[in-house]
Amino acid sequence: MIYGYIRVSTREQNEDRQLVALRELSIEEDNLFVDKQSGKDFERPRYRQMVRKLKKDDLLYVKSIDRLGRNYGEILEQWRILTKEKGIDIVVLDMPLLDTRRGKDLMGTFLSDIVLQVLSFVAENERANIRQRQAEGIAAAKARGVRFGRPPRPLPDSYHSAYHRWKAGAITGTAAAKECGMALSTFRYQAEIYEKLNLQ
């Protein structure tokens, strides 16, 4: 049997590029498995479902090597499970050298393993570089005064009065927070800012 696996990192990303490439191979629709999951939790129900179906000598196509895992170690582990434990062949469309149907002898396996390790490392390294560039971009933006996240909500009109009565011990923090329509932790957090800014 021939299978195809597609993964995109978010529900907003489009899987069409991978889908077009795999459909050109005349893979049956029932044998195309698609996951839309973030790299963070990497829950892949369709991948697990596909692996359960795979039998010895089946063939799996993926568009690129990083579809198999989110990091170097995971890609290598999935490759080992699929090729050694399940006994299937894998073809990586973006990298013709990674085609386990070719070179079944010791030298072919050795070369395939080397290429796999190098590519897995490159894929992970590129993701690390992207994360670093994002972090540097965010830091530069913050240094320019760009604010991220939702703007802070203004304090309710009742905050000043509730804060002073709470500081004076006339009411508890819970009562003061309730009066302001806040969680107690939010009330206390705002109180720290209030004090630092000398607004009392």
Side-chain angles (χ1 to χ4, degrees):
M1 293 289 282
I2 301 176
Y3 294 89
Y5 179 66
I6 293 164
R7 178 177 66 81
V8 289
S9 300
T10 68
R11 296 196 173 276
E12 289 73 41
Q13 280 186 336
N14 196 313
E15 70 273 15
D16 285 352
R17 186 179 64 89
Q18 295 176 65
L19 209 48
V20 166
L22 293 179
R23 279 188 175 141
E24 285 175 1
L25 301 166
S26 302
I27 300 170
E28 292 178 23
E29 285 296 317
D30 287 349
N31 288 348
L32 283 173
F33 291 80
V34 181
D35 276 315
K36 292 189 179 187
Q37 300 290 333
S38 75
K40 189 171 70 174
D41 57 35
F42 217 67
E43 285 295 316
R44 298 190 290 168
R46 294 286 288 156
Y47 180 79
R48 289 199 302 269
Q49 187 182 353
M50 180 191 72
V51 170
R52 284 195 297 271
K53 284 185 74 172
L54 291 171
K55 301 281 188 295
K56 191 176 187 314
D57 297 325
D58 283 345
L59 175 60
L60 172 64
Y61 284 98
V62 291
K63 182 80 169 75
S64 56
I65 190 65
D66 60 356
R67 300 303 88 193
L68 288 181
R70 63 184 157 180
N71 57 45
Y72 176 67
E74 195 161 60
I75 292 168
L76 292 176
E77 175 65 6
Q78 290 305 313
W79 189 274
R80 185 192 65 76
I81 290 168
L82 295 170
T83 59
K84 305 290 193 292
E85 292 182 16
K86 302 293 288 188
I88 70 158
D89 280 311
I90 304 175
V91 175
V92 180
L93 297 176
D94 284 354
M95 182 51 60
L97 279 171
L98 287 177
D99 181 344
T100 60
R101 297 171 303 178
R102 287 196 226 127
K104 292 280 190 181
D105 60 358
L106 186 61
M107 181 57 76
T109 303
F110 174 69
L111 289 173
S112 181
D113 284 351
I114 287 175
V115 172
L116 172 67
Q117 294 203 32
V118 169
L119 288 174
S120 301
F121 172 77
V122 168
E124 182 176 1
N125 199 48
E126 179 56 25
R127 279 191 297 274
N129 287 340
I130 288 168
R131 283 195 298 271
Q132 183 173 346
R133 287 195 294 270
Q134 285 173 336
E136 288 168 356
I138 289 168
K142 283 183 176 175
R144 291 193 311 272
V146 176
R147 293 184 63 111
F148 292 87
R150 290 180 298 191
R153 287 169 59 185
L155 292 175
D157 295 339
S158 57
Y159 190 85
H160 185 76
S161 167
Y163 168 82
H164 282 289
R165 283 183 289 128
W166 169 65
K167 284 303 268 186
I171 57 172
T172 65
T174 304
K178 190 173 181 182
E179 194 175 305
C180 296
M182 296 176 168
L184 179 58
S185 58
T186 305
F187 179 83
R188 287 189 171 146
Y189 172 73
Q190 291 295 347
E192 285 178 27
I193 297 172
Y194 204 66
E195 286 159 12
K196 282 177 189 166
L197 294 175
N198 294 315
L199 294 175
Q200 65 271 41

